[in-house]
Amino acid sequence: MPKNAIAPQSHWEAFASRRRDPASKREAVLQTAACLFLEKSYRRTSLDDVARRLNITKPALYHYFRNKEDILLGCYRWGTTLIEEGLNRIAADCGSGLAKVEAFIYSYANVMTVNFGRCVMRLDEGDLSSEALAEVRRYKRKIDRRLRSFIQEGIEDGSIAPCDPKLTAFAIAGALNWICMWYEPEGPLTPGEIAAQFARTLTRGLMRPARRAASRRVLAMRAAGGNNISS
Amino acid sequence: MPKNAIAPQSHWEAFASRRRDPASKREAVLQTAACLFLEKSYRRTSLDDVARRLNITKPALYHYFRNKEDILLGCYRWGTTLIEEGLNRIAADCGSGLAKVEAFIYSYANVMTVNFGRCVMRLDEGDLSSEALAEVRRYKRKIDRRLRSFIQEGIEDGSIAPCDPKLTAFAIAGALNWICMWYEPEGPLTPGEIAAQFARTLTRGLMRPARRAASRRVLAMRAAGGNNISS
Amino acid sequence: MPKNAIAPQSHWEAFASRRRDPASKREAVLQTAACLFLEKSYRRTSLDDVARRLNITKPALYHYFRNKEDILLGCYRWGTTLIEEGLNRIAADCGSGLAKVEAFIYSYANVMTVNFGRCVMRLDEGDLSSEALAEVRRYKRKIDRRLRSFIQEGIEDGSIAPCDPKLTAFAIAGALNWICMWYEPEGPLTPGEIAAQFARTLTRGLMRPARRAASRRVLAMRAAGGNNISS
Amino acid sequence: MPKNAIAPQSHWEAFASRRRDPASKREAVLQTAACLFLEKSYRRTSLDDVARRLNITKPALYHYFRNKEDILLGCYRWGTTLIEEGLNRIAADCGSGLAKVEAFIYSYANVMTVNFGRCVMRLDEGDLSSEALAEVRRYKRKIDRRLRSFIQEGIEDGSIAPCDPKLTAFAIAGALNWICMWYEPEGPLTPGEIAAQFARTLTRGLMRPARRAASRRVLAMRAAGGNNISS
DNA sequence: CATGAATGAGAGTTCATTCAT
DNA sequence: TATGAATGAACTCTCATTCAT
């Protein structure tokens, strides 16, 4: 998994030499495209923009991607992979339902500060072809179902106060997804701070009064261990 | 997080007769445009699309709006006005900080289910010219500041547990803004239900343990009074 | 049915005024396009070429046709209509099988000297979409079946010597179709001469020895009557 | 007049081993290109298509041919050579004018079922540069003149009924050339059958009444001898 | 020799905007 | 007032051809 180039750093070095790992060139294209898509939106980003920033010509892009949408889809896939990796770690981390929700929030919030992660939730799905759209929707639904199941689990094991899992999941996911709208790499808040604060704030509303103390431990653990999502 | 069908209501009746006040025609254009912008995004919506749905010709639109962006800006302004009306009601409704936050959530959630309200948070700001963008940003910042001030007020009057007002506001606003992404007019959840549930869920995380009972009263009050925002 | 502009005469007068019969503009586009398609082939003819010759700009073409292929299809349809009109006249002209074949040759040869008719047999079918291709193929098969049925009829009524209708039809159709490859409007041979000669030459090989005299009458009749196919 | 499937034989074996005479590689390229040109037309066939089918890379083609047109010209030349070989055999075969015409038809029809032969008459001359075009035209005119001279000879020696040699040649050549449009290698008709039938049908219209019997002998001779043109 | 990479030129198409009626 | 027609600019994508290794 790649570095998360959040700032519009240039990736054109990957194209400096002809003989160079094609995979790294593909990645350079995706990183650059993700930046531009977030800056100006997919539609306003022309392939010339992408090529110019990489110091190559437009048709060269067609060596690595079938068409513009293929680049977009590449960004989506990279982002959903990041999210999924987080989810898999959490599934293994067998704690209470509340602990899982908290871990989910922490992990997901982190991804929402990585360019590829931001693409998943911020770019307009309408720019995807129907097949690609189906694929992306499948991913998103999966994530949603996981969160709901964590909440359900928490209600059942008593770590979470009774509530409507669907709407609660919407609220949590909304708060998290919106991070990709306001987060700025150069801003004062680090991804870690955001993740930690969101984990605390959003879980507070879920706990049963008696269990509040328990969550503190989870947070402490998280802050100590290097649960860094941006591999 | 599914695609949301915008109410396919037709506004072309406003153009059926020649003698009709221009204001209602302007509104008809905006309503139709808002629908289309939400369905297909601003960029993918051509003026031909708008004109066709209104049963008029494209240049006719230029009688009511200077250009395409002017239509977009009209949608934004209508939406921000809706939000602001809610805010003004709340400012007058002098309760505790927590009560104001709760009222804010209720009001705002409702607006996020109205097309014009959804436009404000869902459409891509990048499609606005720099001046229009500045105007919209001013509005959004104002809303954000209000929410933060309500939270601050709650912390000071003791109705809200100590927290970082900025990040807390981000979390609440995010959960609310995201409504406009998943809400479907034809779906099972009514705006009122969503608003009430979100008000309850999101405020639970804010309260000081001892004060929980207080919030119940606010919700009851709200359910009784017809604080209906939808234009 | 239009004049058959064989020479590359200019049709731009149709676009001289904005307010002008759209149908005539459509026709002007088709006439011009047919000329260019025959001159340079469909692929080498750019829409700019067509527009330039009509003294309009490229996007203006999109007012009258959905896309480039639509223009091509328009040419095909016009041509097949010309052919079909001839066929219908012959069906009504109830003579012997041989007489029908002869009339077919005469009529068809004439069409092969008209631009739209030439398009049908000379342009590359591979440039059509699969649907359009199916439509054109349907037409061509129909023509082929008609010719074979005329031959069969002639064999049965004794006016044509026994032969394989399929291969004979191929030979006749081939000789006729090839006209569109070598015919030049400015050349020494007039469409009428070509048609008459081909009718005579190609039917000679079909007749039963005893019946030769009969065909002379048909030819005489044809030469006298104004069975002119070009509009 | 259906689409005709070109024998999908693969010629890439010629490139399987490095040690292979360049001539056979050149031929492999031409065979493959001819197939593709007939399938999809010259313009729609990219050099990538050719290279892919030969299991080599695109620039490798430039070792054997100067450019794309050079490949096209190679196909034309191969085809015209095939035709010419037939003509030379006939010139030596000193029979009556009618016999020569018949032999011409038989030989030419056969060539029209071979890919290279089909290329000559089916591909778009407009894709040739002016020099190459001149060369190809020279060949074609030569063929046409030969046919006309055979007819003239026949008229003079009394084996052919008086007619206009030019138009008669056009009719015969057209019927033959069109074979390359409808012939299918996998179809029910073999090249030999087609050639024989066309020779019979087309000469019937030329003969003087008294001489019909003579032609039978020519055909019988042809059927016996292996005058097979297909390389 | 052979190849992956890169390019320049050009095509079709869309669309906001403006003219002319 | 309102409209059909027209345009210019922009964008995606293709492909023959040539480098550089």
Side-chain angles (χ1 to χ4, degrees), chain C residues 40-207:
Chain C
K40 318 200 303 177
S41 91
Y42 175 76
R43 286 299 270 238
R44 267 185 306 279
T45 302
S46 78
L47 290 185
D48 267 319
D49 290 334
V50 179
R52 200 175 306 121
R53 202 172 272 199
L54 286 165
N55 258 76
I56 59 173
T57 60
K58 186 166 49 171
L61 294 171
Y62 284 83
H63 275 279
Y64 302 96
F65 296 90
R66 281 204 307 282
N67 49 33
K68 194 186 179 189
E69 195 211 330
D70 199 22
I71 298 179
L72 177 60
L73 187 55
C75 293
Y76 269 104
R77 281 188 179 142
W78 202 301
T80 50
T81 302
L82 288 182
I83 298 173
E84 188 139 35
E85 284 174 6
L87 285 177
N88 291 339
R89 267 197 298 270
I90 293 162
D93 165 12
C94 41
S96 68
L98 181 63
K100 281 182 179 159
V101 170
E102 198 170 3
F104 173 90
I105 294 171
Y106 189 87
S107 163
Y108 197 94
N110 264 299
V111 177
M112 281 304 112
T113 62
V114 178
N115 274 3
F116 288 128
R118 297 168 79 191
C119 283
V120 176
M121 290 302 167
R122 195 165 141 178
L123 298 188
D124 186 354
E125 288 184 347
D127 288 315
L128 292 167
S129 73
S130 55
E131 300 154 38
L133 179 57
E135 182 187 328
V136 169
R137 286 265 171 84
R138 213 160 39 235
Y139 265 114
K140 292 194 175 178
R141 257 199 307 276
K142 187 176 172 184
I143 297 166
D144 189 42
R145 272 200 308 270
R146 288 272 196 119
L147 176 54
R148 288 194 208 177
S149 74
F150 292 160
I151 295 171
Q152 187 64 43
E153 205 179 319
I155 295 173
E156 281 161 14
D157 70 19
S159 60
I160 291 177
C163 65
D164 176 18
K166 183 180 164 186
L167 267 177
T168 306
F170 272 155
I172 292 174
L176 292 168
N177 287 330
W178 204 255
I179 293 173
C180 68
M181 301 300 213
W182 53 262
Y183 173 72
E184 290 180 72
E186 316 290 349
L189 292 165
T190 70
E193 284 168 8
I194 296 168
Q197 287 251 28
F198 266 64
R200 186 161 50 231
T201 303
L202 292 174
T203 48
R204 271 188 63 181
L206 298 178
M207 297 181 238

Side-chain angles (χ1 to χ4, degrees), chain C residues 124, chain D residues 35-46 49:
Chain C
D124 186 354
Chain D
C35 273
L36 286 165
F37 292 165
L38 291 172
E39 276 174 27
K40 318 199 303 178
S41 89
Y42 175 74
R43 285 300 270 235
R44 269 186 302 278
T45 302
S46 77
D49 291 333

Side-chain angles (χ1 to χ4, degrees), chain A residues 43-60:
Chain A
R43 285 300 270 238
R44 268 185 304 278
T45 303
S46 78
L47 290 184
D48 266 320
D49 292 332
V50 179
R52 201 176 307 119
R53 201 172 273 199
L54 286 165
N55 257 78
I56 58 172
T57 60
K58 186 165 46 173

Side-chain angles (χ1 to χ4, degrees), chain A residues 34-109:
Chain A
C35 273
L36 286 165
F37 292 166
L38 291 172
E39 277 174 27
K40 318 201 303 178
S41 91
Y42 175 75
R43 285 300 270 238
R44 268 185 304 278
T45 303
S46 78
L47 290 184
D48 266 320
D49 292 332
V50 179
R52 201 176 307 119
R53 201 172 273 199
L54 286 165
N55 257 78
I56 58 172
T57 60
K58 186 165 46 173
L61 294 172
Y62 284 85
H63 275 280
Y64 302 96
F65 296 91
R66 280 204 309 281
N67 50 33
K68 193 187 178 188
E69 196 211 329
D70 199 23
I71 298 179
L72 177 59
L73 186 54
C75 292
Y76 268 103
R77 281 189 178 141
W78 201 302
T80 51
T81 301
L82 288 183
I83 298 173
E84 189 140 33
E85 284 174 4
L87 284 178
N88 291 339
R89 267 197 298 270
I90 294 163
D93 166 11
C94 40
S96 69
L98 181 64
K100 281 182 179 157
V101 171
E102 198 169 4
F104 174 90
I105 294 171
Y106 189 87
S107 162
Y108 196 94

Side-chain angles (χ1 to χ4, degrees), chain B residues 58-219:
Chain B
K58 190 164 45 170
L61 294 172
Y62 283 83
H63 278 276
Y64 301 98
F65 297 91
R66 282 205 310 282
N67 50 32
K68 195 186 178 190
E69 195 212 330
D70 198 21
I71 299 179
L72 178 60
L73 186 54
C75 293
Y76 269 104
R77 281 184 178 144
W78 198 299
T80 50
T81 302
L82 288 182
I83 297 172
E84 189 140 34
E85 284 173 7
L87 285 178
N88 291 340
R89 268 198 297 271
I90 293 161
D93 166 10
C94 41
S96 69
L98 181 64
K100 281 182 179 159
V101 170
E102 198 170 5
F104 174 90
I105 295 170
Y106 189 88
S107 163
Y108 197 94
N110 264 299
V111 178
M112 281 304 112
T113 62
V114 178
N115 275 0
F116 286 128
R118 299 169 78 191
C119 283
V120 176
M121 290 302 167
R122 194 165 140 178
L123 298 187
D124 186 354
E125 289 183 347
D127 289 314
L128 292 167
S129 72
S130 54
E131 302 153 37
L133 179 57
E135 182 187 328
V136 169
R137 285 266 171 83
R138 212 159 40 236
Y139 265 114
K140 292 194 177 177
R141 255 199 309 276
K142 187 177 171 183
I143 297 165
D144 188 44
R145 272 200 307 270
R146 287 271 198 123
L147 177 55
R148 289 193 208 175
S149 74
F150 291 161
I151 295 171
Q152 188 63 44
E153 206 180 318
I155 295 172
E156 282 161 12
D157 70 19
S159 59
I160 291 177
C163 64
D164 176 18
K166 185 180 165 187
L167 267 177
T168 306
F170 272 154
I172 292 174
L176 292 168
N177 286 331
W178 204 253
I179 293 172
C180 69
M181 301 299 214
W182 54 262
Y183 172 72
E184 292 181 69
E186 316 289 347
L189 293 165
T190 69
E193 284 168 8
I194 295 167
Q197 287 250 29
F198 266 64
R200 186 161 49 231
T201 302
L202 293 174
T203 48
R204 270 189 64 181
L206 300 178
M207 298 181 236
R208 303 188 67 176
R211 301 286 291 272
R212 281 209 177 169
S215 86
R216 299 267 153 66
R217 264 175 282 144
V218 177
L219 274 168

